[in-house]
Amino acid sequence: MVKLNCMPEKSPIIEVAKKVCPAVITIVITRDLPKIEGFYFFPFSGQRFIVPKFNKKREKTKIGGGSGFIVSPDGYIITSSHVVADPKSDYTIIFEPKKKYPAKVISRDPINDVAILKINAKNLPYLELGDSEKIELGQTVIAVGNALGEFHDTISTGVVSGLSRYITAYSGLTRQAARLKGLIQTDAAINPGNSGGPLVDIEGKAIGVNTAMVMGAQNIGFAIPINYAKKDLEEVKKYGKIRRPFLGVRYVLLDKMIAEKNRLPVDYGALIVRETLGESAVVKGSTADRAGLKEYDIILECNGEKITVKNPLANILQKLKIGKEIKLKVLREGKKIILKAKLEEKK
């Protein structure tokens, strides 16, 4: 007679899930929209078109959602910037159906796709932040979040498939594009709704912020390294906001295709140019204005770093300190010149 062993599984993933899930929250996005009181029916060429009929009253309407995770017992939360990108929306944090808190977006960092939120609560479960500089290719990771906006505390396991990835991601809510670099690639499933949730290691420490997936691929997801978010969190706690250097130019990043199409002398750099009529390519009174930058200048290097599509000016600037004097190598009317500028804080 064979006796089955019914002892519970001793997987380390189980312990990680018990430790992490209480600190992972759901973010519900709502907005005041006109109330629908019925529908109009319009027959046209044998077809019927249905058009909603609105009244003057407005009501809170859910327009989206995402995930996040608590990083301090007094209610600081890390999520993705694209999850809370709409300044006109309201954000509610849900722990469980009867436990909800209104959330304040303290600061957004669209360059790194990180946002810091705050709720008024104490003694909350929270995640310890790891060190993304120590991540190794092939190590076990776990993605946690609110999959598809309805399956709370969903975990998926995998490994670190790649490091220092560069992607262009598009937000499903705002339709805006973001160029993200230095990302962690993983085959742990990151589904819609998981954005903003943590990517944790086998010790349950957050090493990344789930941010994007490749549509149509088999388990190719990406996470922002947690060290980017740690820097933002430190600044929020110290200054009440994320502080960023500001140069004051509008520009287009050059590549080979743009250079050939416009017969430009270089295929890299930041071409200073206005995006729409009525605006200035160089913000009046800004650092760039005082440094002498002009429209149609091409900034080739910033403090010795070459500006490319994969290393844009914005990413170089965010590594520099406010008040620091920088050197810009500029191509102007076929001649290379050096300009000096003292960085200001972005308002």
Side-chain angles (χ1 to χ4, degrees):
M1 181 177 176
V2 177
K3 187 176 180 180
L4 295 175
N5 186 353
C6 295
M7 293 292 290
E9 183 184 359
K10 294 294 184 182
S11 167
I13 306 295
I14 295 173
E15 296 306 313
V16 173
K18 289 178 181 178
K19 181 179 180 181
V20 172
C21 285
V24 179
I25 51 85
T26 298
I27 301 172
V28 175
I29 309 166
T30 56
R31 192 169 180 179
D32 277 329
L33 296 174
K35 187 176 182 180
I36 299 175
E37 62 178 19
F39 296 90
Y40 294 107
F41 296 90
F42 293 98
F44 183 74
S45 299
Q47 297 181 351
R48 297 175 71 192
F49 289 88
I50 302 173
V51 179
K53 179 183 179 183
F54 300 101
N55 64 22
K56 294 181 180 180
K57 293 182 179 179
R58 302 176 75 85
E59 62 182 358
K60 291 285 184 186
T61 304
K62 181 180 177 181
I63 61 170
S67 304
F69 53 103
I70 307 166
V71 292
S72 70
D74 58 345
Y76 280 101
I77 292 168
I78 288 175
T79 186
S80 295
S81 178
H82 73 263
V83 171
V84 293
D86 185 2
K88 296 181 180 179
S89 291
D90 295 316
Y91 300 96
T92 303
I93 303 305
I94 300 177
F95 288 90
E96 53 191 67
K98 294 184 179 180
K99 201 171 183 181
K100 304 178 182 180
Y101 295 92
K104 180 180 180 182
V105 180
I106 302 295
S107 206
R108 299 176 179 89
D109 177 3
I111 293 174
N112 291 319
D113 195 25
V114 172
I116 309 297
L117 281 60
K118 182 73 168 62
I119 59 174
N120 290 323
K122 296 184 181 298
N123 302 318
L124 297 172
Y126 66 96
L127 291 189
E128 186 179 346
L129 303 183
D131 184 354
S132 50
E133 290 293 326
K134 296 180 179 179
I135 297 173
E136 294 187 273
L137 197 65
Q139 79 173 70
T140 299
V141 288
I142 304 160
V144 189
N146 174 27
L148 304 178
E150 57 180 302
F151 301 111
H152 304 281
D153 291 342
T154 295
I155 69 168
S156 55
T157 61
V159 298
V160 173
S161 309
L163 295 168
S164 299
R165 298 304 197 212
Y166 169 91
I167 66 169
T168 299
Y170 295 87
S171 169
L173 189 63
T174 64
R175 304 296 179 187
Q176 291 182 330
R179 296 182 179 92
L180 305 174
K181 71 169 193 172
L183 302 185
I184 306 163
Q185 181 186 333
T186 177
D187 65 349
I190 297 176
N191 297 296
N194 272 15
S195 282
L199 186 73
V200 302
D201 61 18
I202 202 65
E203 295 179 357
K205 294 180 180 179
I207 57 171
V209 185
N210 302 328
T211 189
M213 59 186 173
V214 177
M215 300 298 292
Q218 290 292 320
N219 293 345
I220 300 179
F222 299 95
I224 301 293
I226 200 63
N227 286 10
Y228 294 0
K230 281 165 76 173
K231 181 182 177 183
D232 290 341
L233 181 63
E234 288 169 5
E235 290 198 345
V236 163
K237 287 185 173 182
K238 187 174 181 179
Y239 303 108
K241 59 183 176 180
I242 297 171
R243 301 172 79 228
R244 286 288 177 266
F246 181 64
L247 184 58
V249 292
R250 294 180 174 90
Y251 61 89
V252 173
L253 290 170
L254 301 182
D255 58 20
K256 190 173 182 180
M257 185 177 71
I258 294 174
E260 288 177 353
K261 185 177 179 180
N262 294 279
R263 298 180 180 179
L264 298 174
V266 291
D267 59 4
Y268 69 96
L271 170 63
I272 300 176
V273 62
R274 69 190 73 191
E275 296 174 358
T276 59
L277 292 174
E279 67 179 15
S280 174
V282 179
V283 178
K284 189 175 181 180
S286 67
T287 297
D289 189 23
R290 289 196 296 272
L293 284 165
K294 299 178 181 179
E295 188 167 16
Y296 306 120
D297 282 350
I298 301 175
I299 308 174
L300 302 175
E301 294 180 10
C302 177
N303 258 22
E305 281 197 60
K306 186 177 179 179
I307 298 168
T308 65
V309 172
K310 291 191 175 182
N311 191 34
L313 178 60
N315 291 65
I316 298 172
L317 289 173
Q318 72 162 343
K319 296 183 290 185
L320 303 174
K321 292 183 178 180
I322 295 165
K324 180 181 177 66
E325 186 177 79
I326 60 171
K327 289 183 179 180
L328 301 169
K329 182 183 284 188
V330 176
L331 183 64
R332 177 182 292 170
E333 298 176 352
K335 296 181 180 179
K336 292 180 181 179
I337 60 174
I338 299 295
L339 297 177
K340 293 182 179 180
K342 192 173 183 181
L343 291 175
E344 300 175 328
E345 180 183 350
K346 185 176 183 180
K347 304 302 181 185

